Amino acid sequence: MGIDEYGGGQEPQPEVLVVTTNDAPGYRVQEVLGEVFGLTVRSRHLGSQIGAGLKSMIGGELKGLTKTLVQTRNQAMERLVEQARARGANGVLMFRFDVTEAADVGTEVCAYGTAVVLTRE
């Protein structure tokens, strides 16, 4: 797997700056717009479940599941950014992921944070 298959994050100079911190150095929070989130639920297909089961017996990384989780997290983050942009935000502070099992049929990934309007200091 290449680096872009198991990584995520934003491009340089994003339209909506997303950070995990309470503030963004070099910016001032002009307005707090409230919580935003992006949600997706993904199921694993039978082939990856069988492969993961076999791999778990001998050890090692479950590359198919890793790739699926990266894609799922990136999709949740994209949805968060879309929601923030639709509300007039150009920043999201205190960005986090929450991952849970969804009724034993898939994985729910929620990306959430606080939508804000930022201005450069």
Side-chain angles (χ1 to χ4, degrees):
M1 244 188 323
I3 187 75
D4 38 338
E5 290 183 293
Y6 63 87
Q10 295 189 287
E11 301 290 324
Q13 306 299 318
E15 185 179 327
V16 176
L17 178 65
V18 178
V19 297
T20 60
T21 54
N22 295 337
D23 54 17
Y27 294 88
R28 182 177 60 80
V29 176
Q30 180 179 325
E31 184 178 0
V32 174
L33 301 174
E35 179 193 16
V36 288
F37 66 90
L39 181 68
T40 187
V41 178
R42 292 269 178 106
S43 64
R44 295 181 294 262
H45 62 77
L46 183 60
S48 73
Q49 286 182 306
I50 292 171
L54 294 172
K55 185 73 171 186
S56 68
M57 287 189 250
I58 59 173
E61 181 181 8
L62 306 173
K63 291 184 180 181
L65 293 178
T66 299
K67 187 174 180 179
T68 298
L69 186 55
V70 167
Q71 292 169 344
T72 304
R73 288 172 66 122
N74 287 341
Q75 183 179 45
M77 185 172 177
E78 288 168 9
R79 290 178 177 177
L80 166 118
V81 168
E82 287 173 17
Q83 188 182 54
R85 187 180 305 119
R87 292 178 68 184
N90 66 349
V92 175
L93 303 179
M94 298 178 61
F95 170 72
R96 304 284 187 272
F97 282 112
D98 185 42
V99 180
T100 57
E101 287 298 311
D104 294 329
V105 295
T107 302
E108 172 192 321
V109 176
C110 182
Y112 63 96
T114 302
V116 297
V117 175
L118 299 170
T119 55
R120 282 212 177 262
E121 292 185 327

